[in-house]
Amino acid sequence: LVSHVKARGKLYPGTSISRQPVPDDKVAWSVPFPEYCPPSYTTPVVLQMPAWADPDYSTFANWNVTPPKYNQLDGSVERRSHTGEYMVIENIPRNPCGRTGLLGRGLLGKWGPNHAADSVVTRWKWIDGKVAKKDGKPVMQFVAIQRRDCGEWALPGGMVDPGEQIAATVKREFCEEAMNSLSLTKDERHKLQELISTIFQHGEMIYKGYVDDPRNTDNAWMETVAFNFHDETNDSIGCLPLRAGDDAKNVAWLDVDKEQALYANHSMLLQNVAHLKQAHW
Ligand code: RP5
Ligand code: MG
Ligand code: MG
């Protein structure tokens, strides 16, 4: 596993809580770190136990709550990790990527892996009837959304609902965030879903695993499966009418380039796509 960096950011997102600093060489659990005594934080929303969150069975009020079935498919909730079996110590899972400087679940609802799916929707960049080139390589563009929570540009993506097929999550989240499907009438949404289903038929999985998400903690973390949907001729995906919606405040075609700052480890996902298509990076 690649060491996480954004999951060790000083301030926990949306709070004034500071993580205990974890130096690069102390991230791995196997390295002794006797001074390690991080603060604990779980957002009040999660503690109120909405449908998407696990109980906080570590408190006295919930002492008799049975812990989730870790490393298993727990009813319709996927608690297995893409990274393999994770450690569970006294019913609390341990981040497979190492220390983050914070205990608890932070903003995440589930103990252990919180599963998401992302889409990398791409086309070639055309200028005056030709594909633009940089350093001799064709330049790609991808659909980016600007996240409402932190203002960073990111891939369209979101949480897998219990029992939901990942392919369905990818399409649903793209429609919600990049096409504002939630504001459409039922009929319009149906039409859009049909269109998206044909256009998104041939996706290529380009990543499956841990996400270096700023919301991660020692006991809860993001994982994703990401698919690339590429429009070779700029006549299907390439001309979809984009409109930001739900947790996205902006949507745009951005150039695929290593200088483009993106949320979490989304830049690494794009790098995979650029490599696959032998495009400029
Ligand atoms: C990232 O958070 C994933 O890669 C995905 O893009 C996103 C899912 O969370 P929300 O967009 O629902 O906040 O870790
Ligand atoms: Mg969403
Ligand atoms: Mg999202």
Side-chain angles (χ1 to χ4, degrees), residues 2 30 47 67 89 121-122 134 138 191 206 218 265-266:
V2 196
S30 56
L47 292 176
I89 296 156
V121 170
T122 55
K134 243 183 184 174
K191 273 201 197 119
I206 49 112
D218 281 6
N265 64 349
H266 289 179

Side-chain angles (χ1 to χ4, degrees), residues 146-158:
Q146 193 180 17
R147 294 180 63 95
R148 225 180 258 287
D149 59 356
C150 59
E152 287 183 71
W153 287 91
L155 295 170

